[in-house]
Amino acid sequence: MLDTLCLITGPRTGANHLMQLGGNLAELKTFPELFNSLAERIEPDHVLDQAVEAARAEHKRVLAFKLWHDTLEPETVEQLVLSRPGVRVIFVVRRQIDAYVSWCKAISVHKWQEVDTSAVRVRLDIADFAAWMDAQERWYDRWRNWLNRRFLPCPILRYETDIDLPPEGALRRFAAAAAQVGVTLRVPATLTATGLIKQDRIKAAADKVDNWPAFSKALVAEGLEKRAFGYPV
């Protein structure tokens, strides 16, 4: 059995940045895209078995991977992933409006990394955003309830306070979350990997969206403002 960290997360939350930073940890092997190209005929538990073998071959004692709401069917996640011995869960979240805008920007340029999207402005659709939030909230809520029923810890890393930091700080927050689920990760004094470069340097969502005045009014009219500027869990 290998200690395994499953990051329950969504698009544009900084989870991949954490995975990259994980390369600094002698004990950890990360698999950012473990299930992304999963063929239907290959069972997820077999994929995890292969990841365990790869981690052991590199003399690692901890592996980490992420799951989005549409990566695998929830029943598959429960039966073949989270129920495996040694699997612990950490939530990674971001303010919903910021994650959504970042996602829309990345889609518009068809690039998820290594492209500066600061100058890109997008037009948002209120119905699409509401559906996005619904999907994210259902995803996190399902696993929070699953953990609570089993009296298991549910540490949460938030992009704004735990990830959008200097690399050393983000890595220490990650190690602290791992410690909450019983996994010890030692952060080295010097980092060799600094993670991903932020694609978007613009801070405020209003400065990234062409139709922000109309979209903002629609948020209020639909009663979505609190959810939009909050977290999915």
Side-chain angles (χ1 to χ4, degrees), residues 6-16 19 32-33 35-36 65-74 77 92 103 106-107 112 132 135-136 139-140 143:
C6 172
L7 305 187
I8 295 291
T9 187
R12 316 305 285 182
T13 60
N16 278 353
M19 293 280 186
E33 312 298 337
F35 295 109
N36 283 17
F65 62 93
K66 73 176 192 291
L67 284 177
W68 289 2
H69 75 282
D70 57 356
T71 307
L72 299 170
E73 291 296 325
V77 173
V92 182
W103 176 245
I107 288 175
W112 316 109
W132 159 283
Q136 299 304 315
W139 170 244
Y140 286 101
W143 304 119

Side-chain angles (χ1 to χ4, degrees), residues 12 94 97-107 199-200:
R12 316 305 285 182
R94 186 178 183 180
I97 185 63
D98 293 324
Y100 180 72
V101 170
S102 180
W103 176 245
C104 290
K105 279 195 171 197
I107 288 175
Q199 281 188 279
D200 191 355

Side-chain angles (χ1 to χ4, degrees), residues 24-93:
N24 293 286
L25 304 174
E27 312 91 342
L28 182 67
K29 174 72 173 176
T30 63
F31 296 86
E33 312 298 337
L34 185 62
F35 295 109
N36 283 17
S37 58
L38 184 63
E40 290 184 8
R41 66 182 182 277
I42 301 176
E43 292 293 341
D45 56 342
H46 179 64
V47 172
L48 275 168
D49 287 341
Q50 292 179 322
V52 168
E53 290 175 10
R56 284 181 173 151
E58 296 183 22
H59 307 289
K60 307 292 187 178
R61 61 172 179 80
V62 183
L63 68 85
F65 62 93
K66 73 176 192 291
L67 284 177
W68 289 2
H69 75 282
D70 57 356
T71 307
L72 299 170
E73 291 296 325
E75 293 77 12
T76 300
V77 173
E78 180 172 348
Q79 296 168 13
L80 300 181
V81 180
L82 296 189
S83 295
R84 283 173 64 103
V87 174
R88 332 288 172 81
V89 173
I90 297 173
F91 284 6
V92 182
V93 300

Side-chain angles (χ1 to χ4, degrees), residues 116-206:
D116 189 338
T117 63
S118 300
V120 175
R121 291 173 67 89
V122 292
R123 293 185 64 82
L124 302 185
D125 177 80
I126 192 68
D128 187 71
F129 180 50
W132 159 283
M133 289 197 294
D134 287 344
Q136 299 304 315
E137 289 166 6
R138 282 195 304 269
W139 170 244
Y140 286 101
D141 195 52
R142 180 184 184 107
W143 304 119
R144 178 176 58 182
N145 291 335
W146 189 87
L147 292 165
N148 287 343
R149 289 195 302 271
R150 289 158 178 79
F151 303 100
L152 294 172
C154 180
I156 300 176
L157 292 172
R158 302 185 188 279
Y159 176 86
E160 292 78 7
T161 56
D162 301 313
I163 299 173
D164 190 18
L165 301 171
E168 297 84 356
L171 201 52
R172 286 192 172 86
R173 296 291 180 93
F174 179 49
Q180 290 182 54
V181 294
V183 176
T184 301
L185 297 172
R186 293 182 291 271
V187 179
T190 303
L191 304 188
T192 56
T194 56
L196 300 177
I197 297 172
K198 191 182 295 187
Q199 281 188 279
D200 191 355
R201 298 188 305 275
I202 306 300
K203 292 288 187 183

